[in-house]
């Protein structure tokens, strides 16, 4: 049991769960450490206020859980029943960093229309880390689920889904620079990610889908903004606009991003800024982008070819359970900018699924990288398959290395499924074969290899 009052020290898995029976505070000058696999269970509508430092650091397989003991009444938007009051960094004078890492925060609730940050509220810290955490099933009547105000932050690898607010799921405001990387904002009632009066931002490798308001919402009424880069995001099926950028007075650059799910208007963009789109996949193209477009180069307007997307627009569809990775025929594969090194894109080493971010020498469009082959048994140690160069011209090399000799079938299909090449290779553990493709019309081709146990697929572009 944890009674109301001041808390500090270390909360351990051996003593878990910690049953919080009143408002608790990490006082100025104190530190609370929470170990992996700890459950912090609030016994009513109480809060954790942090005036000192909080280090809630779990592990990937041992999350820290913040929850409430009884969720009865949580869905009633007129009562605080069924929820707790969140983690609140208020009146904090600490000069050290606090962190929430590998945590799960659920059933935070605020019914006051002026309240905000029902799961996490951070204000005026020098720096704050929030990484690899799950924010789900929280409710805020009028504002944001997570609010970061006047605090430099690392916001990396978080999953925000099934939350309900009438503002934004995550609001970051009044800071000089934010890096928002490898996050998921899906199936939330409200906007996915909102930045307000942020001077610089790198929004990289995020999945933002099926929110009931704007996917990304960025506003600044100041003329002191600098650079905004949005790269390798997948932004789809948000209810109003995929992107809403208002009064930024700066340059915004989009690279390698999928913007899909609105036939008429994918982005509303303020005329007080200039906007550049490079190597993106945008439904119906430039006609769906408002505002002043300075550069629009090497973009495509093809169906992204998701493996299993949601069937409609808005938060009623379960985008978290959908599969937004690319299928083997997607035109987004190897279609991103040819050179990411000189653009300061700051791409992470892995995509949202943990795969190598740049495969086959060129980044894909969107937040997921196609891994180059599909192995039916999902045991990639059974073989290696590649086709190169890709794109090809006069000829391409087919390389297959197996752990043992097998009967192999090599086939080539057009992107429309017509088989144009078929070869049977008996009792071999290796193929290193050059195939003449000079007579193939320019386009997308699927190279397929079947063995007795596995199937490998590779999309190849013929110029």
């Amino acid at each position: 049991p944890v009674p109301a009052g001041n808390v500090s020290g270390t909360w351990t898995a051996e003593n878990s769960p910690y049953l919080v029976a009143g408002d608790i505070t990490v006082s100025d000058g104190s530190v609370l450490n929470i170990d992996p696999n700890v459950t912090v269970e609030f016994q009513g509508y109480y809060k954790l206020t942090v005036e000192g430092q909080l280090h809630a650091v779990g592990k990937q397989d041992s999350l820290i859980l913040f929850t409430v003991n009884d969720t009865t009444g949580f869905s009633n938007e007129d009562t605080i029943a069924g929820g707790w009051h969140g983690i609140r960094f208020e009146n904090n004078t600490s000069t050290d960093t606090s962190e929430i890492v590998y945590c799960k925060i659920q059933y935070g609730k605020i019914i006051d229309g002026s309240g905000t940050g029902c799961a996490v509220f951070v204000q005026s810290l020098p720096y704050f880390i929030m990484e690899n955490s799950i924010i789900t099933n929280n409710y805020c009547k009028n504002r944001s689920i997570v609010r970061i105000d006047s605090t430099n932050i690392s916001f990396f690898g978080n999953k925000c889904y099934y939350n309900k607010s009438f503002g934004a799921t995550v609001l970051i405001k009044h800071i000089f620079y934010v890096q928002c990387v490898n996050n998921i904002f899906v199936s939330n009632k409200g906007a996915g990610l909102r930045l307000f009066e942020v001077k610089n931002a790198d929004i990289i490798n995020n999945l933002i889908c099926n929110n009931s308001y704007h996917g990304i919402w960025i506003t600044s009424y100041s003329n002191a903004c600098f650079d905004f880069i949005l790269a390798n995001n997948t932004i789809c099926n948000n209810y109003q606009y995929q992107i809403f950028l208002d009064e930024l007075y700066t340059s915004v650059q989009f690279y390698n991003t999928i913007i899909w799910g609105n036939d008429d208007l994918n982005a509303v963009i303020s005329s007080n800024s200039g906007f550049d789109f490079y190597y993106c996949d945008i439904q119906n193209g430039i006609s769906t982008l408002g505002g002043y477009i300075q550069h629009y180069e090497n973009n495509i307007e093809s169906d992204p070819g998701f493996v299993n997307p949601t069937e409609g627009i808005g938060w009623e569809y379960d985008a978290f359970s959908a599969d937004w990775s690319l299928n083997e025929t997607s035109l987004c594969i190897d279609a991103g900018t040819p050179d990411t090194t000189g653009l300061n894109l700051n791409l992470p080493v892995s995509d949202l699924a943990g795969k190598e971010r740049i495969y086959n020498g060129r980044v894909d469009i969107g937040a997921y990288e196609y891994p180059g082959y599909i192995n039916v048994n999902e045991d990639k140690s059974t073989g290696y398959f590649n086709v190169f160069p890709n794109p090809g011209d006069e000829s391409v090399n087919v390389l297959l290395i197996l752990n043992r000799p097998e009967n192999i079938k090599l086939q080539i299909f057009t992107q429309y499924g017509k088989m144009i090449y078929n070869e049977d290779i008996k009792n071999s553990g290796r193929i290193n074969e050059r195939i003449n493709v000079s007579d193939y019309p320019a386009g997308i081709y699927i190279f397929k290899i079947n063995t007795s146990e596995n199937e490998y697929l590779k999309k190849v572009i013929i110029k």
Side-chain angles (χ1 to χ4, degrees), residues 214-268:
H214 313 312
I216 296 178
W217 181 8
I218 306 177
T219 307
S220 177
Y221 298 113
S222 167
N223 59 5
C225 292
F226 298 95
D227 293 327
F228 284 78
I229 293 178
L230 289 84
N232 283 96
N233 300 290
T234 296
I235 309 170
C236 298
N237 289 352
N238 298 289
Y239 180 73
Q240 189 161 12
Y241 305 122
Q242 314 301 336
I243 303 165
F244 184 65
L245 307 178
D246 185 33
E247 303 294 337
L248 295 186
Y249 296 92
T250 188
S251 173
V252 180
Q253 297 178 325
F254 292 82
Y255 293 92
N256 315 326
T257 288
I258 298 172
I259 306 172
W260 206 264
N262 193 322
D263 290 330
D264 301 318
L265 201 58
N266 277 300
V268 172

Side-chain angles (χ1 to χ4, degrees), residues 153-390:
I153 182 174
S154 171
F155 199 82
F156 179 91
N158 300 293
K159 297 179 176 65
C160 305
Y161 58 95
Y162 307 156
N163 299 289
K164 187 176 182 181
S165 71
F166 292 91
T169 304
V170 175
L171 169 63
I172 300 174
K173 61 186 298 187
H174 297 135
I175 67 172
F176 183 79
Y177 172 70
V178 62
Q179 190 175 45
C180 186
V181 180
N182 268 28
N183 301 287
I184 293 175
F185 307 89
V186 296
S187 295
N188 299 291
K189 187 169 185 179
L193 171 66
R194 187 181 187 196
L195 305 184
F196 181 80
E197 294 286 356
V198 173
K199 306 305 180 187
N200 302 263
D202 288 335
I203 302 174
I204 312 292
N205 226 75
N206 301 284
L207 176 68
I208 306 173
C209 298
N210 284 93
N211 299 288
S212 73
Y213 201 43
H214 313 312
I216 296 178
W217 181 8
I218 306 177
T219 307
S220 177
Y221 298 113
S222 167
N223 59 5
C225 292
F226 298 95
D227 293 327
F228 284 78
I229 293 178
L230 289 84
N232 283 96
N233 300 290
T234 296
I235 309 170
C236 298
N237 289 352
N238 298 289
Y239 180 73
Q240 189 161 12
Y241 305 122
Q242 314 301 336
I243 303 165
F244 184 65
L245 307 178
D246 185 33
E247 303 294 337
L248 295 186
Y249 296 92
T250 188
S251 173
V252 180
Q253 297 178 325
F254 292 82
Y255 293 92
N256 315 326
T257 288
I258 298 172
I259 306 172
W260 206 264
N262 193 322
D263 290 330
D264 301 318
L265 201 58
N266 277 300
V268 172
I269 299 173
S270 165
S271 60
N272 293 314
S273 307
F275 300 90
D276 304 325
F277 290 85
Y278 303 99
Y279 297 93
C280 295
D281 187 5
I282 303 172
Q283 186 170 6
N284 293 333
I286 195 171
S287 64
T288 67
L289 305 174
Y292 173 52
I293 310 300
Q294 297 180 127
H295 299 94
Y296 188 84
E297 300 175 7
N298 299 301
N299 302 290
I300 62 176
E301 303 172 17
S302 301
D303 188 310
F306 298 122
V307 171
N308 185 29
T310 56
E311 296 181 354
I313 295 173
W315 81 306
E316 296 86 353
Y317 293 90
D318 186 359
F320 187 71
S321 299
D323 188 344
W324 299 95
S325 61
L326 305 174
N327 66 43
E328 65 272 11
T329 62
S330 172
L331 298 184
C332 293
I333 299 172
D334 296 333
T337 178
D339 178 17
T340 62
T341 58
L343 297 174
N344 296 320
L345 298 187
N346 297 316
L347 293 179
V349 296
S350 301
D351 72 351
L352 277 183
K355 300 189 295 289
E356 184 180 0
R357 175 64 272 196
I358 300 178
Y359 179 86
N360 200 40
R362 183 167 175 177
V363 71
D364 295 348
I365 300 174
Y368 292 93
E369 191 81 8
Y370 183 71
Y373 64 88
I374 295 175
N375 189 322
V376 172
N377 293 335
E378 298 182 356
D379 179 7
K380 296 181 180 179
S381 66
T382 59
Y384 173 81
F385 175 49
N386 198 9
V387 181
F388 58 93
N390 189 7

Side-chain angles (χ1 to χ4, degrees), residues 423-439:
E423 180 182 4
D424 290 314
I425 301 166
K426 302 294 185 181
N427 197 33
S428 176
R430 181 182 180 91
I431 298 175
N432 189 1
E433 184 173 336
R434 179 177 291 272
I435 296 178
N436 186 351
V437 295
S438 59
D439 293 333

Side-chain angles (χ1 to χ4, degrees), residues 38-52:
V38 166
T39 293
V40 182
E41 184 182 271
F42 290 81
Q43 305 302 293
Y45 193 71
Y46 307 127
K47 63 185 175 181
L48 166 57
T49 299
V50 183
E51 298 173 355

